[in-house]
Amino acid sequence: MKLTIPIPPKPQSRPRFDSRNKRAYEKRDMTNYKKTVSYYAMASKLKRIEKGPIMADICFYIYPPQYILRVKKNRNLLEKEVLYCDKKPDLDNFFKAITDAVNGILYKDDGQIAAIVCRKVYSLNPRTELEITELRDEK
């Protein structure tokens, strides 16, 4: 099953702690991002994978910074979406935010994820493309 989330990817933020209530909480913009991703996942009406191992193939398309946009030869690479992003934020933080947001919608639990393919690519069209595949046991 394939899903495209047409908003710029956002990395998982660190939890914040309230010293008065002794509780951890998440920043409001992170919560809103996860709710938006969940909305797109639910609106896709894809069938949830209830059990068994799955593979997550995720590509994060990130808008390039000015120093990359200024170089003329990069324009073609950006249009083809083949220029990899090797800067912060870390890839695992993007992955965590997406898998938390679609947990319980596309699959029952994120513990089912047994294989991962993840990439960060610069693009003039920021979005996240997610493909979930059931892994079958060979007998």
Side-chain angles (χ1 to χ4, degrees):
M1 69 176 84
K2 288 185 178 184
L3 174 65
T4 298
I5 301 159
I7 58 174
K10 188 167 179 53
Q12 176 68 47
S13 60
R14 299 276 177 236
R16 303 291 177 212
F17 295 95
D18 183 1
S19 58
R20 279 186 282 162
N21 297 331
K22 308 277 191 243
R23 297 183 116 177
Y25 65 95
E26 199 167 60
K27 285 185 173 179
R28 183 171 288 142
D29 62 334
M30 189 75 241
T31 304
N32 291 340
Y33 172 75
K34 286 183 178 180
K35 283 181 183 176
T36 305
V37 170
S38 297
Y39 167 78
Y40 282 111
M42 284 188 278
S44 71
K45 300 198 187 285
L46 294 170
K47 188 174 185 285
R48 181 167 77 166
I49 300 170
E50 290 294 328
K51 62 181 180 175
I54 59 174
M55 180 178 86
D57 183 345
I58 307 172
C59 190
F60 301 99
Y61 294 93
I62 300 165
Y63 196 80
Q66 282 299 316
Y67 74 90
I68 290 177
L69 287 171
R70 277 191 230 118
V71 179
K72 211 170 219 173
K73 70 176 183 178
N74 287 342
R75 201 67 167 166
N76 192 26
L77 296 172
L78 289 171
E79 288 170 5
K80 290 181 181 178
E81 296 179 334
V82 294
L83 186 62
Y84 286 98
C85 173
D86 61 348
K87 305 292 182 214
K88 289 194 179 255
D90 298 348
L91 182 60
D92 59 331
N93 292 332
F94 283 111
F95 176 79
K96 182 73 174 147
I98 281 291
T99 53
D100 282 355
V102 298
N103 191 25
I105 301 168
L106 299 182
Y107 44 82
K108 190 171 183 178
D109 183 57
D110 57 4
Q112 289 175 263
I113 300 173
I116 301 168
V117 177
C118 246
R119 326 174 266 301
K120 285 190 304 186
V121 179
Y122 287 123
S123 172
L124 299 174
N125 177 22
R127 65 193 183 283
T128 302
E129 291 182 357
L130 169 67
E131 184 174 1
I132 303 292
T133 310
E134 288 185 74
L135 298 173
R136 299 285 178 205
D137 294 332
E138 292 184 24
K139 294 182 182 178

